[in-house]
Amino acid sequence: MVKDNLSALYSKLPSGVKLVAVSKFHPVERLMEAYDAGQRIFGENRPQELAAKVRQMPPDVEWHFIGHLQTNKLKMVLPYVSLVQSVDSMHLLEAIDAWGRDHSKVTDVLLELHLGAEETKQGFSEEEILMICSGNTPSENLRIRGLMGMATNTEDEDVIEADFARIESLFKRIRAERPEMCGTFTELSIGMSGDWPLAVRHGATMVRIGTDIFGPREY
Ligand SMILES: *Cc1c(COP(=O)(O)O)cnc(C)c1O
């Protein structure tokens, strides 16, 4: 089942778009089905669950953290992940940098842009992201690899498309204005189960898909 879902996705995703299998709330047996089908990048959004799964899964899995990260949980997450996709505050950015200084680790991160008009205020504004990318922020121990966004939770494709267009244009603007960043500022993480084809049309380099691979989550 998981295997069939993955094959379908692999055949539809353009090459060059990385698939992050969002495995939150699913047991390790399901993750192993995906692993055995060739999947190597997994996304989790809770530190405790991530730490437990890291111990049970093979060592060549590439873990991405995709949820809200509290600074007192960094030690449960940063040693294990190759990318923190969901950096949503200056406080967190500074804490990751400081952790990296203490542990001699450079962490790859994406800056999360707040999209949509939702109650959830998670994410930076465009102005904040431009400010961070202008270079006046901690960067010794982290590499800003790109942007991440979650479109408004709606069935209205026009609204979702407008969200994706907004983050795509910010991504392109930063690459145009900061050519020295372009070597590393390469990732645009947009698109989930319902909306990934639209995200791919708006330049996604990474899609984060849970339900279409593993089925519904039981909370
Ligand atoms: C859960 C989650 C996803 C995956 O959502 P699906 O609709 O199950 O594909 C993607 N991105 C983030 C940040 C998530 O928390």
Side-chain angles (χ1 to χ4, degrees), residues 20-26 43-45 65-68 85-86 112 122 148-150 189 191-196 207-213 215-217 219:
V20 179
V22 176
S23 46
K24 62 190 185 192
F25 294 90
H26 293 287
E44 289 284 337
N45 71 344
F65 195 78
I66 62 165
H68 181 63
Q85 293 212 4
S86 43
E112 181 171 354
Q122 196 160 311
M148 184 272 236
M150 277 174 96
S189 174
M192 320 195 332
S193 290
D195 55 21
W196 70 263
V207 292
R208 310 176 309 269
I209 299 181
T211 310
D212 281 359
I213 297 172
R217 291 176 283 274
Y219 289 96

Side-chain angles (χ1 to χ4, degrees), residues 85-149:
Q85 293 212 4
S86 43
V87 174
D88 56 0
S89 74
M90 216 43 222
H91 177 61
L92 177 58
L93 200 64
E94 285 165 359
I96 293 174
D97 187 53
W99 188 92
R101 192 181 320 119
D102 295 344
H103 295 82
S104 310
K105 189 189 174 191
V106 177
T107 302
D108 279 358
V109 303
L110 303 182
L111 302 177
E112 181 171 354
L113 173 65
H114 177 254
L115 287 171
E118 267 151 80
E119 325 74 57
T120 68
K121 278 274 165 272
Q122 196 160 311
F124 290 108
S125 67
E126 289 186 33
E127 293 67 33
E128 288 170 318
I129 287 180
L130 287 167
M131 201 269 288
I132 293 166
C133 291
S134 74
N136 304 316
T137 40
S139 57
E140 292 277 292
N141 305 290
L142 47 85
R143 248 185 322 253
I144 298 172
R145 299 296 316 276
L147 302 180
M148 184 272 236

Side-chain angles (χ1 to χ4, degrees), residues 21 23 26-44 49-63 214:
S23 46
H26 293 287
V28 167
E29 297 77 66
R30 291 287 91 66
L31 277 70
M32 274 312 295
E33 285 178 42
Y35 181 91
D36 289 337
Q39 183 63 29
R40 288 297 179 272
I41 310 177
F42 290 81
E44 289 284 337
E49 184 174 343
L50 169 76
K53 285 174 171 170
V54 166
R55 284 194 296 274
Q56 298 173 73
M57 291 290 289
D60 63 337
V61 167
E62 185 182 313
W63 297 97
F214 299 104

